[in-house]
Amino acid sequence: MSLGFFPMDSMKGQGGIQMLLTAEQEAQQIISSAKNLKNTRLKQAKEEAEKDVATYRSHLEAEYQKRIAETGGASGANVQRLEEETDMKIQNLKGSASTVSEDITGMLIKYVTTVKV
């Protein structure tokens, strides 16, 4: 009687091994699928992050260019204002020099022509 059970136990053992192999293959497929899904999500996240960085960078560049334009324009206005102020000061100095130059010329002539004994 024990001979009859032996082949049956052997069959059960082989069936169990086959089930384990099938389960292992299914597990490998599940793991492979999960890895592929994870890699796809990582690529999507990377692309979205790069897009966000590019958008932020372009926003900062636009602000920078705007500030340059604002200060560049203000700088041009400042240069023009300073040139006008400088020209006015030069004209004032020339006017003062012309009014004082007659007095100075008179003083110089007086000292040169005056003889001290």
Side-chain angles (χ1 to χ4, degrees), residues 34-96:
K35 283 182 180 179
N36 289 338
L37 183 61
K38 177 184 171 187
N39 286 336
T40 302
R41 287 182 182 166
L42 284 174
K43 285 179 185 177
Q44 288 174 343
K46 181 180 177 185
E47 289 171 359
E48 288 177 15
E50 288 174 349
K51 194 183 299 182
D52 289 345
V53 167
T55 302
Y56 183 68
R57 185 174 287 150
S58 67
H59 173 72
L60 287 180
E61 180 67 24
E63 283 186 17
Y64 175 72
Q65 293 299 330
K66 180 181 174 186
R67 287 185 182 177
I68 286 177
E70 288 173 354
T71 37
S75 177
N78 286 338
V79 168
Q80 183 178 359
R81 180 183 55 81
L82 288 174
E83 286 178 354
E84 290 172 359
E85 288 178 7
T86 303
D87 288 341
M88 287 179 62
K89 287 179 181 179
I90 290 172
Q91 293 301 323
N92 288 340
L93 287 174
K94 284 182 179 179
S96 296

Side-chain angles (χ1 to χ4, degrees), residues 11-13 15-16 26-27 30 52 65 74 88 93 101 108 113-114:
M11 290 287 239
K12 284 183 182 179
E26 289 176 6
I30 291 171
D52 289 345
Q65 293 299 330
M88 287 179 62
L93 287 174
S101 68
L108 286 173
T113 56
T114 306

